[in-house]
Amino acid sequence: MSIYFVINHLNMEIYHNKHMLIIIKYGELVLKGENRNNFSNRLFKNIKFALKEFQNLEFLKCYDNCQINNFSDNQYQNIINIIKFIPGINLIIPAYEIETKKDAIVDAIISKIIDREIVDTFKIETKRKWKQFEYDSMEFSKLVGSCILEHVKNLNVSMKPKHIINIEIDKVKSFFYFEKINGIGGFPVGINGRVLMLISGGIDSPVASALMLKKGIHVDFITFLTPPHTSDKVLTKVKNLIKIVTLDGKICQSKLYTCNFTPLQTEMAHMKNKAYQITIMRRYFYRIAKEIAIRNNCIGIATGESLGQVASQTPESMQTIQNAIGDFLVFKPLMCYDKNEIISLARVYSTYETSILPFEDCCTLFVPEHPVTKPNVKSALEIENDLFLLDGICKSVIENIKVYEKK
C-alpha cells in the first residue's frame, strides 16, 4: 500500500471538502433521441435556478448527467433536500472524485471508509467506462475489496451487503460513492407546456399539482372563494400548499388566480333542483378556468378529481361538467387513484398536514343534502337557462379575478 493512504488519512477533511461532488443522473431523458438536448438543457437550467441561493456552486453539464461542485459541508444537506424534488432527476449521487490511478483510488476509498466509520458487510461494484484501464471491472473490484479487508477492521465481503461501494472508472478522473438517492423522476418542468390547476384546500388537488409538475408541465393555479362564507384562512392555506408543492417557487414560479365566486353562488341558490347545485357550480368553475387558461397561453386545465370519489366525480358527472367547455383539454392525474393512495402521495409531497387543516372551501360548504350522481347535460342546460343572469355575472366575476405571482 502506498504512502498516499497515510497522508490522505491524516488530512481527511481537506480531502472531503476538495473532492466531494453531487452527480445528477437524468434517467429516461437520455432516451429522447433528437429531443434529448432540449430536455437535458431545460433540466440543467431548472437545477441552476432552484439552487441560485448557493452563490458559489459550480455546475458541469455532461452527456448523461450533470455535476455540482464547490459546496460546503453545511450546504450539502440543503442542496440535497431541494434537488430530490426537482422533476426530471432520476438519481442523486454524492460522490468523490479522484485521479484515475490504482493506488489513488484504493487509498481514497479506504480513507473514506474510515472517515465514515463504515462497518458490517460490503461489496464493490466497478463500472469501467475507460476500457484502456489496466484492470477490468471484476479484477478491480476484487483488488479494492482485498485492500479494504487488509486495512479496515469490522468489514466483511457479502453478496447481500449492508454497504455497496460503487466505482466508476474514466480516462482522467474517476468517481466512487457509497449511496444513491432516488430523485422524483419525470420530465423537467416547462418542457411540456403550461396548465391551470383548479386548487382547493383539500388533499387531492395539491397532489395532482405535484404529479403535473413531475410530467414536465408548468402549473399555474386558480382557486374559488366565497366570502364571507369562507374565511381568509382558506386563501392562506391554498398559498401555503402552493408554496410546498413548488418548493417556494424553486421548482416552478407559479401564478395564483383568486376568483370571488360569491355572486355566482348567490344566483345559483335560486335553482329549483338543488341536487344539481354542485354540478352547475363546477360547470362554471370550468368555464372560468378555461377563460383564464386561454388568456395565459395554457394548453389546458387540470383538476384533482378521482373517479367515483364523490358525487361530482362519477362518469356521468364528469361528462356533464366537462361539457361546459367543449373539447378544451382537462388533465385529471388522480383519475384512477384511490383515497389511501392519494393520502400516501400527500405525505410524500409534504402537503398532507396542511391539507387537513379545518378551513372549509366553497365546494365543501355548498354540497346539497342529496347531490345528483348521474346528471345529464340536458338538465344542466335547462337549469342554467332558467337562471338567465348567470352568464352576465360570470363575465363580471372573470374580470375581477386577482392574480398573485412570486417575484
Side-chain angles (χ1 to χ4, degrees):
M1 185 60 61
S2 69
I3 195 170
Y4 182 94
F5 168 71
V6 178
I7 296 171
N8 195 46
H9 180 48
L10 294 174
N11 296 278
M12 282 185 271
E13 288 307 316
I14 294 174
Y15 173 84
H16 172 81
N17 290 332
K18 185 176 180 181
H19 293 277
M20 189 176 185
L21 71 156
I22 297 171
I23 301 174
I24 294 173
K25 298 283 190 178
Y26 298 157
E28 64 179 305
L29 298 191
V30 299
L31 304 177
K32 287 296 174 184
E34 294 181 1
N35 290 321
R36 185 187 62 79
N37 281 338
N38 291 335
F39 279 70
S40 59
N41 288 339
R42 170 69 72 164
L43 178 57
F44 190 63
K45 178 181 177 182
N46 290 354
I47 292 168
K48 291 178 71 175
F49 178 81
L51 298 176
K52 66 179 181 180
E53 65 189 86
F54 306 97
Q55 297 180 358
N56 297 320
L57 296 184
E58 296 174 358
F59 299 88
L60 176 64
K61 183 176 179 291
C62 304
Y63 175 79
D64 63 349
N65 69 80
C66 68
Q67 299 170 14
I68 304 172
N69 291 277
N70 201 36
F71 51 85
S72 68
D73 288 347
N74 292 333
Q75 292 174 323
Y76 167 74
Q77 193 57 55
N78 290 332
I79 292 170
I80 295 296
N81 289 341
I82 292 171
I83 60 178
K84 69 182 181 181
F85 287 108
I86 296 178
I89 294 175
N90 185 47
L91 280 177
I92 302 161
I93 300 174
Y96 300 93
E97 182 183 85
I98 195 69
E99 188 179 8
T100 303
K101 291 184 178 180
K102 179 194 72 174
D103 286 351
I105 295 170
V106 172
D107 293 347
I109 290 173
I110 293 175
S111 174
K112 276 296 143 190
I113 289 173
I114 295 172
D115 186 18
R116 295 164 68 110
E117 299 181 344
I118 293 175
V119 296
D120 209 333
T121 56
F122 77 99
K123 177 171 78 168
I124 306 293
E125 292 188 356
T126 301
K127 182 177 182 180
R128 191 180 60 153
K129 293 184 176 180
W130 183 45
K131 301 304 181 184
Q132 283 69 48
F133 187 61
E134 55 188 310
Y135 300 93
D136 66 27
S137 297
M138 185 69 71
E139 289 172 338
F140 196 62
S141 292
K142 289 180 179 179
L143 172 66
V144 176
S146 297
C147 292
I148 291 172
L149 292 173
E150 181 181 352
H151 291 275
V152 182
K153 297 180 180 180
N154 302 319
L155 265 177
N156 294 293
V157 175
S158 172
M159 295 309 294
K160 295 183 178 180
K162 183 176 180 181
H163 306 282
I164 297 177
I165 302 169
N166 294 271
I167 305 170
E168 293 188 10
I169 303 294
D170 220 330
K171 185 173 183 179
V172 178
K173 296 289 185 180
S174 294
F175 306 97
F176 66 91
Y177 48 92
F178 301 90
E179 63 177 325
K180 299 177 183 179
I181 302 168
N182 288 327
I184 203 166
F187 301 121
V189 170
I191 205 72
N192 283 326
R194 179 187 296 256
V195 303
L196 184 65
M197 169 66 67
L198 281 68
I199 188 169
S200 69
I203 295 171
D204 301 340
S205 52
V207 172
S209 304
L211 293 178
M212 296 299 291
L213 290 169
K214 180 179 176 179
K215 297 308 291 183
I217 296 178
H218 179 111
V219 179
D220 290 322
F221 300 88
I222 185 168
T223 194
F224 297 91
L225 308 171
T226 52
H229 309 291
T230 52
S231 73
D232 293 339
K233 292 181 179 179
V234 174
L235 180 56
T236 300
K237 181 180 177 182
V238 168
K239 288 180 178 179
N240 287 338
L241 287 167
I242 293 171
K243 187 175 181 179
I244 294 169
V245 168
T246 66
L247 275 190
D248 197 18
K250 292 180 176 67
I251 293 176
C252 182
Q253 287 195 299
S254 302
K255 296 178 182 179
L256 169 62
Y257 298 91
T258 61
C259 175
N260 183 349
F261 201 75
T262 301
L264 282 163
Q265 194 65 58
T266 301
E267 179 63 15
M268 289 176 193
H270 298 129
M271 71 174 62
K272 296 175 182 178
N273 189 347
K274 300 295 184 184
Y276 266 78
Q277 192 159 357
I278 287 293
T279 302
I280 303 302
M281 182 175 72
R282 292 195 65 82
R283 280 169 63 88
Y284 275 90
F285 283 178
Y286 272 40
R287 288 183 173 112
I288 293 168
K290 175 186 175 181
E291 180 61 30
I292 299 302
I294 290 172
R295 293 184 184 187
N296 292 277
N297 299 313
C298 294
I299 59 174
I301 65 174
T303 76
E305 292 168 288
S306 173
L307 186 62
Q309 189 165 269
V310 293
S312 63
Q313 294 174 16
T314 63
E316 294 85 358
S317 289
M318 289 183 177
Q319 181 184 38
T320 301
I321 292 166
Q322 191 160 334
N323 166 267
I325 57 171
D327 60 0
F328 195 69
L329 184 57
V330 181
F331 293 93
K332 299 176 182 180
L334 298 181
M335 177 71 83
C336 296
Y337 286 73
D338 65 32
K339 195 64 179 182
N340 288 333
E341 290 173 322
I342 297 169
I343 289 172
S344 294
L345 285 171
R347 295 187 190 278
V348 169
Y349 292 115
S350 302
T351 57
Y352 181 73
E353 295 300 328
T354 301
S355 290
I356 62 174
L357 292 174
F359 308 126
E360 295 182 304
D361 57 41
C362 63
C363 290
T364 305
L365 288 172
F366 294 100
V367 174
E369 186 175 355
H370 301 290
V372 61
T373 58
K374 294 185 178 183
N376 60 77
V377 173
K378 180 181 178 182
S379 296
L381 289 172
E382 288 174 354
I383 291 170
E384 290 172 356
N385 290 333
D386 189 46
L387 300 171
F388 58 88
L389 296 178
L390 278 179
D391 287 344
I393 295 171
C394 184
K395 291 178 182 178
S396 176
V397 164
I398 290 172
E399 296 309 316
N400 285 284
I401 284 176
K402 297 179 180 179
V403 59
Y404 298 86
E405 187 172 5
K406 184 175 176 62
K407 302 296 184 181

